[in-house]
Amino acid sequence: MKSITTVVMVLLLTVFSNLLNAQTTNPEKQLRILIIGAHPDDPEKAGGTAAKFVNMGHKVRLVALTNGDAGHQTMGGGALARRRIAEAKKAGETIGAEYIVLENHDGELMPTLENRRKVIRLIREFKADLIIAPRPNDYHPDHRYTGILVQDAAYMVTVPNIVPEVPHLQKNPVFMYVNDRFQKPNPFEPVVVVAIDDVIEKKIDMYACHESQMFEWLPYNRGGLDEVPDTPAERRAWLAASRKPASAGIADKYRNKLIELYGKEKGSRVKYAEAFENSEYGSPLTEENIKTLFPFFD
Ligand SMILES: [Zn+2]
């Protein structure tokens, strides 16, 4: 009798656990999010949101359109590209996402037809539901052209005779821009602000994987190489102290949006956030699909 009860209990547990798994891994419900940046370490701007998607069982792929082979004071070319590709791979593994680096040279990305086709392929092959990329307003030409290239791939991904060797998408995905500080020709206006308090350390861990940038090139470029601590633990703490204010600043700047999305109590308490504006060239973001594509506001 006892063993029958045990068998029934095991069966019930199996059914419940399958039901729970189905909520996160059911292929029909699993979202596919493509986060595109210019350089290895740029997609990390949405790294907290990426980590949250992965934690919920969704599929995230991070892409850098250039290999970062210019961003260093003493290294360059193939050796630097290989180092940066390895750093990016490690950053992706930190959150359980794939990180792809294309072969374009750093500092030389152009909005060519060839590159547009590459981006169309990327989006189609991944069957992206949601794409996150920079706006075409930015100080760095590679960032601007990444914005242009992704924008130019919107809609075209649905046209069968464009890049005909890769099956077209039936539906134009939703395209979102990640936040920036540029005011001209128009300031960034988020429609979605995601609280990342639970994953802020993961975001810092991702940045810390980009050693050649965080602890070498970027400090050198701003004249602060002597501020970088020596030990890995001190470096991690130093990086957290310099990177967290940006995510905290977004939470404060877009506090009203956080309150609108999360409610007064929760929205007021958010410490770290990432913000996204919808592109008019993708499928529209509606009251309905915003809940499906950003399943964070309960
Ligand atoms: Zn960059």
Side-chain angles (χ1 to χ4, degrees):
M1 193 60 193
K2 207 173 178 183
S3 66
I4 292 174
T5 316
T6 312
V7 168
V8 171
M9 289 279 284
V10 168
L11 274 174
L12 279 174
L13 277 173
T14 312
V15 168
F16 277 124
S17 110
N18 282 346
L19 277 173
L20 275 174
N21 278 342
Q23 276 191 341
T24 49
T25 56
N26 180 346
E28 281 185 11
K29 300 255 169 135
Q30 189 186 46
L31 297 169
R32 304 181 64 83
I33 303 104
L34 193 62
I35 303 176
I36 304 177
H39 310 111
D41 81 359
D42 284 332
E44 274 76 354
K45 227 174 173 183
T49 305
K52 289 180 76 73
F53 276 123
V54 174
N55 288 347
M56 293 176 88
H58 301 298
K59 181 105 177 138
V60 175
R61 184 176 282 177
L62 308 159
V63 183
L65 293 190
T66 77
N67 61 15
D69 61 357
H72 204 274
Q73 66 277 33
T74 55
M75 289 180 83
L80 180 57
R82 280 191 293 279
R83 188 174 175 204
R84 298 204 63 184
I85 291 164
E87 290 171 345
K89 194 168 172 275
K90 215 172 140 200
E93 283 164 4
T94 302
I95 58 161
E98 201 181 355
Y99 206 130
I100 292 175
V101 178
L102 299 198
E103 284 169 18
N104 296 300
H105 289 301
D106 186 351
E108 297 182 1
L109 185 70
M110 293 296 288
T112 59
L113 193 51
E114 190 198 353
N115 281 331
R116 187 198 296 173
R117 287 182 180 133
K118 282 185 197 167
V119 174
I120 291 170
R121 261 189 215 107
L122 276 172
I123 296 170
R124 283 183 179 171
E125 283 168 357
F126 186 64
K127 298 184 175 68
D129 301 301
L130 171 65
I131 293 139
I132 297 173
R135 293 199 304 165
N137 314 334
D138 199 287
Y139 77 100
H140 197 301
D142 290 349
H143 297 179
R144 287 201 293 278
Y145 295 142
T146 298
I148 295 280
L149 284 163
V150 174
Q151 226 172 243
D152 287 359
Y155 172 69
M156 300 313 263
V157 293
T158 69
V159 181
N161 283 333
I162 303 288
V163 192
E165 69 275 21
V166 187
H168 67 284
L169 299 184
Q170 298 296 326
K171 195 169 170 279
N172 199 12
V174 169
F175 288 75
M176 304 289 291
Y177 299 118
V178 70
N179 74 283
D180 62 65
R181 60 188 160 82
F182 300 97
Q183 301 296 305
K184 293 172 184 176
N186 52 311
F188 178 80
E189 264 182 62
V191 290
V192 175
V193 184
V194 178
I196 57 158
D197 294 22
D198 55 336
V199 288
I200 183 71
E201 299 303 333
K202 281 273 173 204
K203 182 172 180 168
I204 303 299
D205 286 340
M206 288 179 87
Y207 276 122
C209 292
H210 299 278
E211 290 180 7
S212 67
Q213 300 307 291
M214 300 303 132
F215 308 128
E216 296 170 28
W217 166 244
L218 295 175
Y220 170 85
N221 191 233
R222 63 172 179 263
L225 197 54
D226 53 346
E227 296 158 16
V228 182
D230 292 328
T231 70
E234 283 172 338
R235 285 182 170 201
R236 171 64 174 70
W238 173 82
L239 186 66
S242 67
R243 288 272 159 181
K244 282 182 179 178
S247 299
I250 289 170
D252 287 336
K253 187 170 180 184
Y254 304 120
R255 183 67 61 194
N256 290 344
K257 192 47 111 175
L258 282 168
I259 289 170
E260 183 191 316
L261 292 164
Y262 287 92
K264 179 123 181 76
E265 205 202 317
K266 207 172 167 189
S268 310
R269 279 188 282 119
V270 172
K271 246 179 113 176
Y272 303 108
E274 287 169 354
F276 306 98
E277 177 180 325
N278 59 319
S279 161
E280 294 172 303
Y281 311 138
S283 276
L285 197 65
T286 62
E287 275 194 28
E288 266 322 297
N289 70 10
I290 196 171
K291 288 179 204 151
T292 322
L293 289 170
F294 291 93
F296 309 123
F297 317 112
D298 32 299

